[in-house]
Amino acid sequence: MTTAIGPLLIDALPRLRRYALSLARAADVADDLVQAACERALATAATLDDRQRFDAWMFRIVRNLWYDRLRRLRTRGEEFDVTVRDDLVAIEGEKLPERRLLLGQAAAAIDRLPDDQRELLLLVCVEELSYRDAAEVLQLPIGTVMSRLARARRRVAEDLGVESGRVL
Protein backbone atom coordinates (compact mmCIF):
# COMPACT_ATOMS: atom_id res chain seq x y z
CA MET A 1 0.00 0.00 0.00
CA THR A 2 1.41 3.34 -0.95
CA THR A 3 0.03 5.33 2.00
CA ALA A 4 1.20 5.01 5.58
CA ILE A 5 -1.17 2.83 7.56
CA GLY A 6 -0.65 4.53 10.94
CA PRO A 7 -3.48 7.06 10.51
CA LEU A 8 -5.73 4.39 8.99
CA LEU A 9 -5.09 2.15 12.00
CA ILE A 10 -5.92 4.91 14.44
CA ASP A 11 -9.19 5.65 12.63
CA ALA A 12 -10.11 1.96 12.57
CA LEU A 13 -9.35 1.21 16.25
CA PRO A 14 -12.88 1.76 17.64
CA ARG A 15 -14.45 -0.44 14.95
CA LEU A 16 -11.78 -3.10 15.33
CA ARG A 17 -12.30 -3.18 19.09
CA ARG A 18 -16.06 -3.40 18.70
CA TYR A 19 -15.68 -6.30 16.26
CA ALA A 20 -13.11 -8.02 18.49
CA LEU A 21 -15.45 -7.55 21.45
CA SER A 22 -18.28 -9.17 19.51
CA LEU A 23 -16.06 -12.17 18.83
CA ALA A 24 -14.34 -12.51 22.19
CA ARG A 25 -17.09 -11.21 24.50
CA ALA A 26 -14.42 -10.06 26.93
CA ALA A 27 -12.87 -6.61 26.89
CA ASP A 28 -9.36 -7.71 27.83
CA VAL A 29 -9.30 -10.42 25.16
CA ALA A 30 -10.70 -7.98 22.59
CA ASP A 31 -7.98 -5.47 23.45
CA ASP A 32 -5.34 -8.18 23.02
CA LEU A 33 -6.81 -9.13 19.64
CA VAL A 34 -6.78 -5.53 18.43
CA GLN A 35 -3.23 -5.00 19.62
CA ALA A 36 -2.03 -8.18 17.91
CA ALA A 37 -3.90 -7.20 14.74
CA CYS A 38 -2.24 -3.78 14.72
CA GLU A 39 1.16 -5.37 15.20
CA ARG A 40 0.52 -7.81 12.37
CA ALA A 41 -0.78 -5.04 10.10
CA LEU A 42 2.27 -2.90 10.71
CA ALA A 43 4.58 -5.85 10.08
CA THR A 44 2.81 -6.88 6.86
CA ALA A 45 1.67 -3.50 5.49
CA ALA A 46 3.48 -4.17 2.24
CA THR A 47 1.07 -7.01 1.46
CA LEU A 48 -1.95 -4.70 1.41
CA ASP A 49 -3.02 -3.96 -2.14
CA ASP A 50 -4.25 -0.43 -3.00
CA ARG A 51 -7.45 -1.96 -4.38
CA GLN A 52 -8.17 -3.75 -1.11
CA ARG A 53 -10.32 -2.03 1.49
CA PHE A 54 -8.23 -1.35 4.59
CA ASP A 55 -10.91 -2.03 7.20
CA ALA A 56 -11.90 -5.32 5.55
CA TRP A 57 -8.24 -6.35 5.65
CA MET A 58 -8.02 -5.45 9.33
CA PHE A 59 -11.27 -7.26 10.18
CA ARG A 60 -9.87 -10.38 8.50
CA ILE A 61 -6.68 -10.10 10.58
CA VAL A 62 -8.72 -9.79 13.80
CA ARG A 63 -10.90 -12.73 12.77
CA ASN A 64 -7.91 -14.92 11.93
CA LEU A 65 -6.25 -14.04 15.23
CA TRP A 66 -9.47 -14.91 17.06
CA TYR A 67 -9.68 -18.34 15.44
CA ASP A 68 -5.99 -18.91 16.09
CA ARG A 69 -6.64 -18.11 19.75
CA LEU A 70 -9.62 -20.46 19.88
CA ARG A 71 -7.52 -23.29 18.50
CA ARG A 72 -4.79 -22.61 21.10
CA LEU A 73 -7.24 -22.39 23.99
CA ARG A 74 -9.47 -25.28 23.01
CA THR A 75 -8.73 -27.06 26.28
CA ARG A 76 -9.40 -24.02 28.49
CA GLY A 77 -12.71 -23.10 30.05
CA GLU A 78 -15.15 -20.38 29.11
CA GLU A 79 -14.00 -16.76 28.95
CA PHE A 80 -15.61 -13.87 30.86
CA ASP A 81 -18.97 -12.93 29.32
CA VAL A 82 -19.39 -9.27 28.37
CA THR A 83 -23.17 -9.37 29.00
CA VAL A 84 -22.61 -9.35 32.77
CA ARG A 85 -20.67 -6.08 32.55
CA ASP A 86 -23.17 -3.28 33.23
CA ASP A 87 -20.39 -0.71 32.92
CA LEU A 88 -20.14 -1.32 29.16
CA VAL A 89 -23.65 -0.03 28.41
CA ALA A 90 -23.99 3.74 28.62
CA ILE A 91 -27.62 4.70 27.97
CA GLU A 92 -29.06 7.72 29.72
CA GLY A 93 -32.56 9.13 29.90
CA GLU A 94 -35.90 8.47 31.47
CA LYS A 95 -36.49 5.26 29.48
CA LEU A 96 -33.36 3.59 30.80
CA PRO A 97 -35.05 0.41 32.14
CA GLU A 98 -37.07 -0.08 28.95
CA ARG A 99 -34.03 0.50 26.74
CA ARG A 100 -31.91 -1.88 28.78
CA LEU A 101 -34.60 -4.53 28.50
CA LEU A 102 -34.87 -4.09 24.73
CA LEU A 103 -31.10 -4.01 24.36
CA GLY A 104 -30.82 -7.18 26.43
CA GLN A 105 -33.47 -8.88 24.33
CA ALA A 106 -31.76 -7.86 21.10
CA ALA A 107 -28.36 -8.99 22.38
CA ALA A 108 -29.86 -12.31 23.48
CA ALA A 109 -31.51 -12.77 20.07
CA ILE A 110 -28.19 -12.06 18.34
CA ASP A 111 -26.36 -14.39 20.74
CA ARG A 112 -28.76 -17.20 19.85
CA LEU A 113 -27.80 -16.96 16.19
CA PRO A 114 -25.40 -19.55 14.84
CA ASP A 115 -21.84 -18.21 14.95
CA ASP A 116 -21.61 -17.74 11.18
CA GLN A 117 -24.83 -15.69 11.05
CA ARG A 118 -23.96 -13.65 14.16
CA GLU A 119 -20.52 -12.75 12.84
CA LEU A 120 -21.92 -11.74 9.45
CA LEU A 121 -24.73 -9.69 11.01
CA LEU A 122 -22.22 -7.76 13.11
CA LEU A 123 -19.87 -7.10 10.18
CA VAL A 124 -22.62 -5.78 7.91
CA CYS A 125 -25.05 -4.14 10.34
CA VAL A 126 -22.71 -2.86 13.04
CA GLU A 127 -19.40 -2.41 11.25
CA GLU A 128 -21.17 -1.29 8.05
CA LEU A 129 -19.13 -3.43 5.68
CA SER A 130 -20.61 -3.94 2.24
CA TYR A 131 -21.76 -7.43 1.31
CA ARG A 132 -18.72 -7.73 -0.95
CA ASP A 133 -16.30 -6.68 1.80
CA ALA A 134 -17.95 -9.00 4.32
CA ALA A 135 -17.68 -11.81 1.77
CA GLU A 136 -13.99 -11.04 1.44
CA VAL A 137 -13.41 -10.98 5.20
CA LEU A 138 -15.24 -14.28 5.70
CA GLN A 139 -13.95 -15.77 2.45
CA LEU A 140 -17.46 -16.64 1.26
CA PRO A 141 -19.34 -16.16 -2.01
CA ILE A 142 -21.46 -13.01 -1.98
CA GLY A 143 -24.64 -15.06 -2.51
CA THR A 144 -23.91 -16.99 0.68
CA VAL A 145 -23.40 -13.70 2.51
CA MET A 146 -26.74 -12.38 1.29
CA SER A 147 -28.74 -15.50 2.19
CA ARG A 148 -27.03 -15.93 5.57
CA LEU A 149 -27.65 -12.29 6.44
CA ALA A 150 -31.32 -12.54 5.43
CA ARG A 151 -31.75 -15.60 7.67
CA ALA A 152 -30.00 -13.84 10.56
CA ARG A 153 -32.16 -10.72 10.26
CA ARG A 154 -35.36 -12.75 10.00
CA ARG A 155 -34.45 -14.84 13.04
CA VAL A 156 -33.61 -11.79 15.19
CA ALA A 157 -36.83 -10.04 14.12
CA GLU A 158 -38.86 -13.14 14.99
CA ASP A 159 -37.16 -13.42 18.37
CA LEU A 160 -37.95 -9.77 19.12
CA GLY A 161 -41.54 -10.01 17.91
CA VAL A 162 -40.99 -7.59 15.04
CA GLU A 163 -43.21 -8.15 12.04
CA SER A 164 -43.53 -5.86 9.00
CA GLY A 165 -41.57 -3.11 10.73
CA ARG A 166 -43.75 -3.11 13.88
CA VAL A 167 -43.05 -4.30 17.39
CA LEU A 168 -45.77 -6.71 18.52
Side-chain angles (χ1 to χ4, degrees):
M1 182 168 208
T2 56
T3 61
I5 68 166
L8 295 172
L9 271 176
I10 291 170
D11 289 342
L13 283 176
R15 294 178 66 210
L16 292 173
R17 186 172 190 279
R18 189 170 50 228
Y19 178 58
L21 192 58
S22 75
L23 293 173
R25 314 238 177 161
D28 59 333
V29 176
D31 291 341
D32 291 345
L33 283 172
V34 171
Q35 180 177 345
C38 290
E39 290 171 1
R40 185 168 293 176
L42 289 168
T44 61
T47 66
L48 181 62
D49 187 345
D50 283 334
R51 295 169 296 173
Q52 191 174 14
R53 192 169 151 178
F54 179 76
D55 58 350
W57 182 64
M58 288 302 302
F59 286 130
R60 184 177 315 142
I61 292 173
V62 170
R63 182 177 188 263
N64 289 342
L65 287 168
W66 170 245
Y67 284 112
D68 289 347
R69 185 179 194 284
L70 286 179
R71 281 189 287 275
R72 281 192 314 271
L73 301 175
R74 194 172 302 218
T75 59
R76 286 184 55 177
E78 188 173 309
E79 296 287 333
F80 178 76
D81 187 4
V82 72
T83 59
V84 299
R85 298 271 316 264
D86 290 335
D87 59 326
L88 296 179
V89 179
I91 300 175
E92 294 181 318
E94 62 187 34
K95 293 187 176 187
L96 181 62
E98 181 181 326
R99 289 180 181 170
R100 282 193 182 203
L101 178 63
L102 183 57
L103 180 62
Q105 290 170 343
I110 292 169
D111 284 344
R112 285 190 293 272
L113 290 173
D115 288 342
D116 57 343
Q117 290 180 11
R118 180 177 46 81
E119 183 176 15
L120 182 58
L121 183 74
L122 293 170
L123 282 174
V124 172
C125 296
V126 176
E127 300 304 335
E128 299 178 345
L129 288 185
S130 68
Y131 290 0
R132 183 174 315 285
D133 290 332
E136 184 180 316
V137 169
L138 301 174
Q139 298 176 335
L140 294 171
I142 196 163
T144 302
V145 165
M146 293 167 61
S147 62
R148 214 175 264 180
L149 186 59
R151 284 192 304 271
R153 287 176 170 158
R154 185 173 44 251
R155 184 181 250 171
V156 169
E158 288 170 357
D159 280 0
L160 294 177
V162 176
E163 188 176 316
S164 302
R166 296 183 328 186
V167 176
L168 298 176

